[in-house]
Amino acid sequence: MICQEISIKEIDFENETFRISEEVISAPLNESIRRIGQLNPVVLLKSDQSYRIVCGFRRLNALRQLNTPTVFARILESGSSGSLDFFDLALWDNLSHRQLDPLEKARVLYKLKNDFGVSDRMLIRIYLARMDLKPHKQVLRAHMVLHESHPDFRGHFKEGRLTQASMEYLSTVSSTSREIIASSLAKIHLSSSLQRKIFRLLDDLAAIAGAEPGKALEDPQVREVLNNPRLSPAQRGEKMYAILYRLRFPRVAQAEKLFMERKQSLGLPGSVRITPDPYFETPDLYVEFNAHDAERFRKLAAELFEASRKPELDRLFQID
Amino acid sequence: MDPYVPERILVQEESWQDDITSGILERLPGIEIRTVKSSDIRCTEQSVGIEAPLQDRNTLILMRYPGNFLKRCQGSGADICCNYYIVSCVWNCHLECTYCVLQSYLSGGALVACTNFDDLLKEVERTLKRSPQKIFRIGTGELSDSLALDPITGFSRRLVPFFAGLPNGYLELKTKSDCIANLEGLDHRGHTVVSWSVNSKRVCFSEEYKSPPLKERLEAALQCQKWGYKVGFHFDPIIHYADWESEYRETVRDIFRSVDPAGVAWISLGALRFPPHLIDVVKKRFPDSKIPYGEFVPGHHGKLRYFRPIREEIYGKMVSWIRKEDLQVPVYLCMESFTVWERCFGRQFCDASVLCEQLDKAVLGRQ
């Protein structure tokens, strides 16, 4: 192995052919190099006028930020191997000391396929397993989608705010819808199950209206919720779901609202729970309360008796 | 309606001994035939067929069905059940209605016809003889259309005379097709009801796109009446959409203008219901279908169905339109809850025995 000191000015930072890291700026690495200097050589590929980075994007960026004039590097000659061998080297180097995140794995697969011409079969058989992924074409497809997704969605995904399934769904919608959804997602926080439900509602509402999936998010009620500064991102997500549900299932939502109003009109304490049959399939009501002593029991039973004499009770059985 | 012509026929090795096989092959000349081993045939309660890659609608499988042919209708779990029996001799259907539960119920796409038809007849006869006082209404249209394949199988020419000889057996041939030619001239003795699944013209056109239009179904019904058969109509599935009222009202009118009301044995009503995973199948197979976008909720039997007030509105209006045309014809709901029955017909009719009696009378009364 030949290692030598290279002037940092000779390195082509613009060429990212062999880049795997999603982030090339690392504060801890910067701090480490500032304190103790470069410990391990980076790997550079000699080209006509400059050097291309094979391994060490983050270290080199740190060294550049610290205005270090020279770097310690192992130099590869371009004639010694094909480009794919150099990329493989970069991949093994990364895998040897850290776990790649999903976006980085997606970047690797995308580059292997599109920049180095590796076949799907080889990607599935060799590279998926190498990166601890299941060797299946669906896994490959999902990662291609991930790499090509909207930058905002990639950001949400990296922060754990969008699931892989959501990323796949979002890859199927038009660019107009993607913009609308991306701007909405920036304002809310959704659990994975709520993501699934909301995207399904958006799809259904789009099919019903013959419109784009993003259209429903332009509803004035939705906009009002999204722009309400008093709500937390999670609250906005819940409320947005409730509005979309009402738009998709207007009669069910109306029945639920009526039931709540009529139940409240009975004036029962909160410890008495009255619930309808699921989706009002029958007029049956389930009444439940708990009492820790006889006195409490008598009090609640008396309140129920009082409620039973109110005409509002009849209306509670007439939800349709 | 385009006749079903398979690209290939797979014959189970034992089925070569059966008359049914030679009859079917004679009616389908020039088609590739392969013999398959019994071990290649997959046959369970939920699925009849053969392993991929030959599992598609272009494949017709002729095989001996090893299970019980006669079963109680799955509606027997409903609050009010009409006590119907089903007998299966064909599995799957080439009509490919967008909402069809067979897309998910039968895992394979190939059409299957049983060749051990004598076993079927013996089983039916045995069962009916065991309960001579009981009226059995038995249909063949549960896992396939009763008549769509009849030009190929000729099953109706065996079934109709067979039921004519059963004192307590009544056959219902349930279809969307116009394949009635085999019914002409049969000695049915009033023991066969030929019934049509009907819908609004729009639904017939868009969701039952391979089936004949409503007009042709009603013309076929009238022809059957002329041959002395009682006919029935099943509004099933009823689809709820923006213009459903005017369009279903029109279908009710068309029925009573096309056939003699006195010769209508029954009319059933059933709003669309289906297993939840069928929604994704329909979206994928028929992206233009609006069916998945109804206001469905999970029901007690694990199926999705329209929200109850929507169903009540549908049934209430349908019953009133039918009653404006005819006061006598039995009308019943399929797979519905006690609550819905009561709200549509009143409490006095919310009794399975009343329903069964009504339907039994419908087949007995006009012999």
Side-chain angles (χ1 to χ4, degrees):
Chain A
M1 184 194 295
I2 303 166
C3 292
Q4 58 191 87
E5 276 200 72
I6 299 289
S7 165
I8 204 159
K9 287 179 183 163
E10 290 183 82
I11 298 170
D12 180 2
F13 280 85
E14 298 301 310
N15 191 310
E16 298 192 332
T17 308
F18 305 111
R19 177 181 155 187
I20 287 170
S21 304
E22 182 68 7
E23 297 290 343
V24 289
I25 308 293
S26 165
L29 186 62
N30 282 16
E31 183 60 13
S32 159
I33 289 176
R34 192 180 67 79
R35 283 179 179 270
I36 57 173
Q38 182 187 3
L39 288 179
N40 298 303
V42 296
V43 180
L44 302 175
L45 176 64
K46 189 167 176 23
S47 59
D48 291 344
Q49 302 294 323
S50 58
Y51 292 94
R52 289 156 70 183
I53 308 168
V54 178
C55 306
F57 277 88
R58 291 187 301 171
R59 277 171 286 164
L60 286 166
N61 270 287
L63 289 162
R64 187 167 63 164
Q65 280 192 352
L66 293 166
N67 294 318
T68 310
T70 57
V71 301
F72 190 49
R74 176 186 164 195
I75 306 299
L76 304 171
E77 297 291 335
S78 56
S80 59
S81 299
S83 290
L84 178 58
D85 292 330
F86 299 131
F87 190 78
D88 267 338
L89 194 148
L91 178 58
W92 278 119
D93 176 58
N94 275 277
L95 291 173
S96 68
H97 65 273
R98 70 189 183 97
Q99 278 281 329
L100 301 188
D101 71 32
L103 286 171
E104 289 172 330
K105 289 176 182 175
R107 177 196 295 275
V108 167
L109 293 165
Y110 183 87
K111 283 191 169 185
L112 284 166
K113 182 180 169 76
N114 294 290
D115 297 350
F116 300 106
V118 178
S119 68
D120 284 2
R121 191 167 154 270
M122 292 291 280
L123 290 174
I124 292 166
R125 279 187 54 193
I126 297 171
Y127 288 97
L128 289 184
R130 186 177 293 176
M131 292 189 288
D132 282 337
L133 296 169
K134 284 186 183 160
H136 195 277
K137 62 182 176 186
Q138 291 286 12
V139 177
L140 177 62
R141 198 187 67 80
H143 280 81
M144 291 298 163
V145 165
L146 200 55
H147 185 76
E148 291 174 300
S149 56
H150 188 286
D152 288 355
F153 295 153
R154 287 166 60 90
H156 293 324
F157 178 78
K158 195 171 168 59
E159 291 163 17
R161 293 171 58 191
L162 276 177
T163 63
Q164 175 80 47
S166 297
M167 295 292 278
E168 285 189 49
Y169 165 77
L170 291 166
S171 75
T172 65
V173 304
S174 71
S175 58
T176 317
S177 278
R178 268 202 294 270
E179 292 299 332
I180 298 168
I181 294 170
S183 72
S184 302
L185 285 174
K187 297 172 182 170
I188 57 177
H189 185 80
L190 302 173
S191 65
S192 54
S193 70
L194 210 52
Q195 287 174 39
R196 196 170 55 246
K197 286 179 184 172
I198 282 181
F199 291 142
R200 191 162 186 119
L201 288 175
L202 289 180
D203 249 6
D204 282 4
L205 288 166
I208 291 165
E212 291 277 336
K215 185 74 182 165
L217 294 175
E218 292 177 333
D219 181 276
Q221 298 174 78
V222 174
R223 301 314 306 169
E224 196 183 324
V225 163
L226 289 174
N227 296 322
N228 188 335
R230 283 173 300 180
L231 298 173
S232 72
Q235 285 173 320
R236 286 187 205 124
E238 293 283 350
K239 285 192 180 291
M240 185 175 99
Y241 169 72
I243 294 167
L244 295 175
Y245 179 84
R246 280 204 297 274
L247 293 172
R248 171 67 181 85
F249 298 99
R251 295 201 45 178
V252 179
Q254 175 64 13
E256 286 167 347
K257 183 169 171 268
L258 263 182
F259 184 83
M260 288 304 291
E261 286 171 2
R262 291 176 184 178
K263 188 170 81 167
Q264 278 168 9
S265 71
L266 289 176
L268 285 163
S271 52
V272 177
R273 292 172 292 279
I274 302 183
T275 46
D277 200 29
Y279 300 102
F280 306 95
E281 182 56 32
T282 73
D284 294 359
L285 295 182
Y286 302 90
V287 183
E288 187 186 17
F289 66 81
N290 54 309
H292 55 269
D293 58 29
E295 189 185 344
R296 178 76 179 149
F297 187 101
R298 285 190 195 99
K299 186 174 180 331
L300 291 173
E303 299 216 42
L304 269 170
F305 179 69
E306 196 57 37
S308 74
R309 296 164 61 176
K310 293 183 178 174
E312 287 90 339
L313 182 66
D314 297 297
R315 296 173 64 222
L316 206 56
F317 286 90
Q318 294 159 0
I319 304 290
D320 47 29
Chain B
M1 189 182 94
D2 291 335
Y4 173 68
V5 182
E7 285 178 6
R8 68 190 73 82
I9 303 172
L10 307 182
V11 183
Q12 185 190 19
E13 46 197 358
E14 290 88 345
S15 288
W16 282 109
Q17 299 161 33
D18 301 323
D19 293 347
I20 294 282
T21 304
S22 51
I24 290 173
L25 295 180
E26 275 170 26
R27 290 177 209 112
L28 291 169
I31 296 194
E32 176 196 350
I33 301 169
R34 292 185 216 169
T35 301
V36 289
K37 291 180 183 167
S38 299
S39 56
D40 292 336
I41 302 275
R42 179 166 42 75
C43 188
T44 67
E45 193 74 11
Q46 294 293 315
S47 164
V48 180
I50 194 162
E51 296 303 325
L54 297 173
Q55 277 285 41
D56 62 43
R57 280 181 174 72
N58 294 318
T59 303
L60 174 64
I61 300 171
L62 306 182
M63 59 169 276
R64 288 185 172 182
Y65 182 64
N68 291 327
F69 290 97
L70 189 63
K71 295 180 177 106
R72 287 188 73 125
C73 168
Q74 56 171 331
S76 56
D79 284 352
I80 296 178
C81 166
C82 70
N83 202 19
Y84 193 69
Y85 284 78
I86 53 171
V87 65
S88 300
C89 42
V90 176
W91 290 264
N92 226 328
C93 181
H94 67 289
L95 297 178
E96 294 194 64
C97 300
T98 60
Y99 52 73
C100 185
V101 74
L102 294 179
Q103 292 173 90
S104 62
Y105 186 58
L106 294 172
S107 62
L111 275 70
V112 180
C114 84
T115 59
N116 52 334
F117 207 74
D118 288 342
D119 293 340
L120 179 153
L121 301 181
K122 280 177 199 161
E123 186 184 324
V124 171
E125 189 170 22
R126 229 177 13 245
T127 307
L128 270 60
K129 273 187 176 167
R130 277 202 296 266
S131 306
Q133 302 306 318
K134 181 179 171 180
I135 301 295
F136 285 83
R137 283 173 284 103
I138 302 172
T140 59
E142 180 73 7
L143 299 176
S144 183
D145 185 287
S146 291
L147 293 175
L149 247 58
D150 205 54
I152 294 170
T153 64
F155 285 158
S156 68
R157 297 197 74 81
R158 292 175 182 241
L159 281 168
V160 172
F162 171 75
F163 271 84
L166 295 173
N168 57 337
Y170 293 86
L171 172 69
E172 182 179 24
L173 297 170
K174 215 184 269 188
T175 188
K176 285 192 189 86
S177 80
D178 53 1
C179 303
I180 55 167
N182 281 336
L183 300 176
E184 186 179 9
L186 296 180
D187 180 17
H188 55 77
R189 296 184 211 169
H191 279 245
T192 294
V193 176
V194 191
S195 63
W196 273 265
S197 171
V198 286
N199 229 307
S200 72
K201 283 174 188 155
R202 184 200 300 251
V203 173
C204 290
F205 179 76
S206 61
E207 311 295 338
E208 301 170 353
Y209 65 108
K210 285 192 178 177
S211 300
L214 179 68
K215 186 169 177 284
E216 288 173 27
R217 297 183 213 180
L218 296 179
E219 284 169 359
L222 176 63
Q223 183 58 66
C224 284
Q225 279 194 328
K226 286 179 180 169
W227 292 334
Y229 291 96
K230 282 164 281 196
V231 297
F233 296 99
H234 300 283
F235 281 91
D236 201 343
I238 301 172
I239 314 285
H240 186 253
Y241 56 91
D243 298 319
W244 79 271
E245 287 189 50
S246 60
E247 296 183 7
Y248 277 90
R249 175 81 182 92
E250 194 183 345
T251 298
V252 171
R253 267 199 297 258
D254 286 348
I255 288 173
F256 285 96
R257 282 175 191 167
S258 302
V259 300
D260 174 11
V264 179
W266 48 62
I267 296 177
S268 78
L269 307 174
L272 181 65
R273 65 270 178 202
F274 50 83
H277 66 274
L278 191 68
I279 279 201
D280 290 329
V281 176
V282 176
K283 281 182 179 175
K284 195 173 173 187
R285 290 193 69 205
F286 306 103
D288 293 332
S289 173
K290 294 290 180 195
I291 280 195
Y293 308 108
E295 209 165 335
F296 298 109
V297 296
H300 287 311
H301 301 286
K303 289 182 179 173
L304 290 177
R305 57 195 325 169
Y306 290 120
F307 185 43
R308 179 181 54 78
I310 295 174
R311 294 182 350 251
E312 286 173 1
E313 182 189 332
I314 290 172
Y315 298 138
K317 288 182 175 166
M318 291 290 290
V319 171
S320 75
W321 298 331
I322 292 166
R323 285 290 167 244
K324 272 184 190 159
E325 303 289 342
D326 188 284
L327 291 170
Q328 303 298 320
V329 62
V331 180
Y332 65 99
L333 306 180
C334 187
M335 297 280 283
E336 268 303 348
S337 66
F338 184 86
T339 304
V340 175
W341 269 86
E342 186 183 18
R343 291 182 179 206
C344 288
F345 295 108
R347 185 164 288 239
Q348 69 272 30
F349 295 106
C350 291
D351 185 333
S353 62
V354 172
L355 172 64
C356 290
E357 197 179 315
Q358 215 178 9
L359 298 179
D360 290 348
K361 271 187 191 165
V363 285
L364 288 165
R366 295 182 181 121
Q367 280 184 74

